[in-house]
Amino acid sequence: MTTASDTAGILIVDDMEENLVALEAVLGSLSHRVVRARSGEEALKAMLREEFAVVLIDVLMPGMNGFETAANIKGLDQTKDVPIILLTGASVDPNYAYRGYTVGAADFLIKPFDPWLLRTKVNVFLELHRKNQQLAAQADQLKRLLTSENRPGGEPAGTAPGGPRGAQEGEEPATVASGTPEAGPGEERRLTDITAQLAELELLLRDARGTDQSNLADRVAELERSVGRLMTSRGG
């Protein structure tokens, strides 16, 4: 099955054809599509059209330079989380690296760069994007499970307050359509705790670039186990 992380590409931005060809040759072995842009304006249009896991931008471009392009990318909600690697020649202002980080770049490389080093850096961001997508999908799955199967009070969505829809007078109202017992105070507390943990996890996912990915994965696994124990205790 194709996932968002499989289809997210690499955007390379440079006004010089020979530089674009060189970058394509270096990054071609990473098995992710490489998309070209010849200017900052073209790069912004491409990023609004499709998803990218990382973008490489040459600093010295006519019109909108690399710093301005990076700042514009970081200024848009749709693209602000995409990591940026700035590229520039050897004879540059020593303050360029600092300026690059201030506009939101994640890394800064000086040409000529080692092809292996560039591939390694780009691959780190590809892997980070893949893990973020997996964690976000797991968090969303847990949220759906909590909201559809484990509402406080033990009633799944669509169940009337007095019991299952269509229940006859005199029938036991403390069960839902699936036959699962209604949640007691202890289960409601556990649900509240799981929901709070999920909300915290979602906040971490929004700022995952500076977060320990293994820790996030452990948090997701812990929540999944908690939901599983809750379902087992209720006979689900």
Side-chain angles (χ1 to χ4, degrees):
M1 180 177 67
T2 301
T3 65
S5 58
D6 294 326
T7 59
I10 304 166
L11 180 63
I12 55 175
V13 189
D14 200 305
D15 62 302
M16 300 183 67
E17 175 68 18
E18 57 268 33
N19 291 340
L20 293 172
V21 170
L23 286 172
E24 286 176 328
V26 171
L27 302 173
S29 62
L30 293 177
S31 301
H32 281 252
R33 76 186 190 286
V34 179
V35 177
R36 291 179 168 205
R38 297 293 296 266
S39 67
E41 292 84 356
E42 189 177 333
L44 288 170
K45 290 178 182 178
M47 295 190 73
L48 292 173
R49 285 196 306 265
E50 55 188 300
E51 182 180 7
F52 293 99
V54 60
V55 54
L56 289 75
I57 308 174
D58 183 56
V59 167
L60 300 178
M61 295 188 296
M64 186 187 298
N65 64 35
F67 298 121
E68 293 167 333
T69 303
N72 279 297
I73 290 171
K74 292 300 178 180
L76 297 174
D77 286 341
Q78 185 175 332
T79 60
K80 65 182 180 181
D81 295 325
V82 180
I84 296 170
I85 299 177
L86 289 177
L87 308 173
T88 191
S91 56
V92 298
D93 188 317
N95 293 320
Y96 270 17
Y98 173 76
R99 186 178 173 188
Y101 294 128
T102 61
V103 297
D107 210 338
F108 192 92
L109 285 178
I110 297 176
K111 305 173 188 177
F113 41 76
D114 185 319
W116 179 87
L117 177 62
L118 179 61
R119 276 195 303 270
T120 300
K121 287 180 177 290
V122 170
N123 198 47
V124 167
F125 290 116
L126 294 174
E127 182 66 12
L128 177 62
H129 182 272
R130 184 185 67 81
K131 288 182 177 179
N132 284 343
Q133 292 293 317
Q134 288 180 342
L135 290 168
Q138 289 175 317
D140 185 61
Q141 183 179 11
L142 281 171
K143 178 188 284 186
R144 290 198 305 269
L145 179 61
L146 287 171
T147 55
S148 65
E149 299 292 340
N150 291 292
R151 283 188 171 186
E155 294 178 352
T159 303
R165 188 173 298 169
Q168 300 297 319
E169 185 178 356
E171 289 184 353
E172 178 58 50
T175 58
V176 295
S178 64
T180 303
E182 187 172 354
E187 290 184 1
E188 290 188 14
R189 285 195 298 271
R190 290 168 65 187
L191 277 170
T192 300
D193 180 60
I194 291 172
T195 303
Q197 292 183 58
L198 182 57
E200 182 182 352
L201 178 63
E202 289 177 329
L203 289 175
L204 290 173
L205 282 169
R206 293 173 191 171
D207 192 30
R209 185 174 64 186
T211 305
D212 182 355
Q213 296 296 309
S214 62
N215 180 56
L216 281 178
D218 291 341
R219 293 289 302 280
V220 171
E222 180 184 347
L223 284 173
E224 288 177 329
R225 288 193 294 271
S226 296
V227 172
R229 286 194 297 269
L230 180 60
M231 295 296 291
T232 301
S233 69
R234 294 180 60 197

